[in-house]
Amino acid sequence: MEKIVAKLLIYGDLPEDSILMELSRVSRDLHSNNYSKEDLISRCFKQVKRLLELATECAFDNNLWQSYLTYLLIMDENPFSLTCEKVGSREGSVNHFATSDFHAFRELFNYDFSEIENTLEIDCFSCITNYKAIEKPELMYNKNVSEKVGFLAGNLRKADSDEAFFKGVTEFYKKIGVGAFGLNKAFRLREQSDGKIEFVPINNMDRVVLDDLVGYEIQKQKLIANTRAFVEGKKANNVLLFGDSGTGKSTSIKAIVNEFYGDGLRMIEIYKYQFRQLSQLISQIKNRNYKFIIYMDDLSFEEDESDYKFLKAVIEGGVETKPDNILIYATSNRRHLIRETWNDRRDVEQDGDIHRSDTMEEKLSLANRFGVTIGYYKPSRQEYYTIVKELADRSGIDITNEELCLEADRWELNHGGVSGRTAQQFINHLLGK
């Protein structure tokens, strides 16, 4: 194995502590004839355990070794894989080196572990190459990762030549992508010790769709139209969803990501304290072959907060133009995002119907940079009943409309008033009885 791994060039920069590199060193030490049998067995078991942990996290099945190698190919963001993601495979000298690497991976795909097993008297590798996973709920793993790794591993298993292997991998890069962005739909930011940021996948994102949100048809259509234009490469605007709490603003954003995920849409959730990292975030995603929504939930600022100025510069007004593959979607209970007081009007100059106020203009300028603003307001009493009835029907609750509405009224009196969220909480209450 160590001789095969040594041939890797484009994909040769693997972490020294990766499973593949650790096992290649086990093979090297085994062939040196100067080793401790117990030590090599312990090292093998340690890597097999790591492989089982990854398989559990990603729901790998059948041949875990091949699934792992496929996962390495998908996650390796190198100049070749990133270029294939952007434009597909092209004629060029780099293909010679890539084909050589894929030949090595084909050898690894079909690697015979019998020498290691026979010498060390273990059978763990035979087990993981014919593995049956325990059935488990989808919430325990990332289904997107499981399906895509399984799909590519199946194709590569059938590849009968280096050229077929090359075609399978590069077509996957072009169609699906490479790295975490290729396998996941939503991310959060995490700052590393050196100040750089990393994208952490959100594995348990709600699988809500827009049809799950009862009512608000006009609002949903505006959001769909803007997002569809965005993923199709047309001009689109940043979006601000504002209005009363519990009306479905955040749910609409999640549903939009779920709906357009197959079209290359990805979401990155960011919090106010991370606004200073916006420029770094954008620089890392601006050249990727995806459309990104930078999502800011419950966005608002108090008078003494100034972080909104970082956001203003990014949206519009900075020296560097915001890339075409990035939009900002925000939700807020405040129409103008920044808290306003009557003191803001002290410097107003009246001239007919026109006012000039530096303070007010400063505060309004952020909200005005969202090209699409969509209002979500509390439903009327009758609309509330409609939402409750629809949710009850979907949940299979067998109760008369009269009794349902009466109980819904009693519930909302003690639970924040009429809203879609209150209606869902009421239905959850009934289901829990």
Side-chain angles (χ1 to χ4, degrees), residues 227-293:
T227 308
R228 179 173 288 115
F230 179 48
V231 299
E232 291 177 353
K234 301 175 183 176
K235 291 294 183 181
N237 287 296
N238 301 304
V239 179
L240 172 63
L241 281 62
F242 70 93
D244 302 309
S245 61
T247 51
K249 301 183 295 296
S250 300
T251 300
S252 295
I253 302 291
K254 297 171 188 174
I256 277 291
V257 175
N258 288 329
E259 183 158 332
F260 289 97
Y261 167 64
D263 298 303
L265 185 66
R266 302 292 185 266
M267 182 180 78
I268 301 173
E269 186 175 23
I270 186 171
Y271 303 104
K272 279 197 299 184
Y273 71 88
Q274 297 173 318
F275 282 178
R276 297 171 186 269
Q277 298 167 327
L278 274 170
S279 295
Q280 185 184 163
L281 184 160
I282 290 174
S283 69
Q284 292 191 33
I285 64 177
K286 64 182 180 180
N287 293 320
R288 299 304 298 267
N289 195 32
Y290 304 96
K291 301 293 184 180
F292 291 95
I293 286 176

Side-chain angles (χ1 to χ4, degrees), residues 8 23 37 86 101 172 179 197 291 325 364:
L8 294 174
L23 287 179
K37 182 177 179 180
K86 194 79 173 177
D101 277 18
F172 182 92
I197 59 174
K291 301 293 184 180
N325 69 328
L364 294 177

Side-chain angles (χ1 to χ4, degrees), residues 144-160:
N144 293 318
V145 175
S146 174
E147 290 180 343
K148 290 173 182 174
V149 171
F151 169 78
L152 181 56
N155 287 344
L156 297 183
R157 195 175 297 123
K158 299 173 187 175
D160 56 1

Side-chain angles (χ1 to χ4, degrees), residues 23-42:
L23 287 179
S24 71
R25 283 192 286 272
V26 168
S27 176
R28 179 198 63 193
D29 293 345
L30 183 72
H31 292 140
S32 71
N33 294 319
N34 182 23
Y35 61 85
S36 163
K37 182 177 179 180
E38 290 73 19
D39 175 62
L40 291 190
I41 291 174
S42 175

Side-chain angles (χ1 to χ4, degrees), residues 110-362:
N110 301 299
Y111 187 77
D112 185 0
F113 284 97
S114 61
E115 180 188 14
I116 296 177
E117 291 189 322
N118 292 336
T119 304
L120 300 180
E121 299 180 289
I122 57 178
D123 64 354
C124 54
F125 295 106
S126 297
C127 183
I128 64 172
T129 53
N130 186 24
Y131 188 78
K132 176 60 179 175
I134 299 173
E135 295 293 334
K136 57 184 177 178
E138 290 181 0
L139 288 176
M140 292 181 63
Y141 63 92
N142 191 328
K143 186 178 180 181
N144 293 318
V145 175
S146 174
E147 290 180 343
K148 290 173 182 174
V149 171
F151 169 78
L152 181 56
N155 287 344
L156 297 183
R157 195 175 297 123
K158 299 173 187 175
D160 56 1
S161 66
D162 295 344
E163 290 71 23
F165 201 97
F166 179 98
K167 182 179 180 182
V169 174
T170 55
E171 286 185 349
F172 182 92
Y173 287 157
K174 177 57 180 173
K175 182 178 180 181
I176 305 297
V178 60
F181 290 133
L183 293 178
N184 302 275
K185 67 175 68 172
F187 304 83
R188 291 191 181 95
L189 290 187
R190 180 164 60 199
E191 185 174 3
Q192 299 175 320
S193 57
D194 58 2
K196 295 182 179 180
I197 59 174
E198 64 174 326
F199 299 96
V200 181
I202 300 174
N203 295 335
N204 58 343
M205 182 176 168
D206 290 342
R207 295 174 184 174
V208 63
V209 295
L210 286 170
D211 287 342
D212 294 334
L213 183 63
V214 182
Y216 300 99
E217 297 303 322
I218 295 176
Q219 290 89 336
K220 289 190 289 187
Q221 290 306 315
K222 287 183 178 179
L223 192 59
I224 289 172
N226 190 75
T227 308
R228 179 173 288 115
F230 179 48
V231 299
E232 291 177 353
K234 301 175 183 176
K235 291 294 183 181
N237 287 296
N238 301 304
V239 179
L240 172 63
L241 281 62
F242 70 93
D244 302 309
S245 61
T247 51
K249 301 183 295 296
S250 300
T251 300
S252 295
I253 302 291
K254 297 171 188 174
I256 277 291
V257 175
N258 288 329
E259 183 158 332
F260 289 97
Y261 167 64
D263 298 303
L265 185 66
R266 302 292 185 266
M267 182 180 78
I268 301 173
E269 186 175 23
I270 186 171
Y271 303 104
K272 279 197 299 184
Y273 71 88
Q274 297 173 318
F275 282 178
R276 297 171 186 269
Q277 298 167 327
L278 274 170
S279 295
Q280 185 184 163
L281 184 160
I282 290 174
S283 69
Q284 292 191 33
I285 64 177
K286 64 182 180 180
N287 293 320
R288 299 304 298 267
N289 195 32
Y290 304 96
K291 301 293 184 180
F292 291 95
I293 286 176
I294 298 178
Y295 171 48
M296 304 169 184
D297 190 31
D298 198 19
L299 186 63
S300 64
F301 300 91
E302 299 302 322
E303 284 187 279
D304 57 347
E305 292 184 287
S306 60
D307 285 348
Y308 70 91
K309 295 181 180 181
F310 290 99
L311 181 56
K312 281 174 59 179
V314 168
I315 295 178
E316 183 183 324
V319 175
E320 185 177 6
T321 304
K322 181 167 66 65
D324 292 334
N325 69 328
I326 298 171
L327 283 183
I328 294 174
Y329 280 22
T331 67
S332 179
N333 294 334
R334 291 176 178 170
R335 169 64 179 84
H336 294 144
L337 299 177
I338 305 171
R339 185 186 177 196
E340 299 176 76
T341 67
W342 286 107
N343 290 332
D344 297 339
R345 298 177 178 265
R346 287 180 178 176
D347 60 343
V348 172
E349 298 178 14
Q350 295 292 342
D351 183 8
D353 290 333
I354 301 175
H355 69 77
R356 303 182 185 88
S357 168
D358 291 341
T359 304
M360 290 182 66
E361 287 299 321
E362 169 73 9

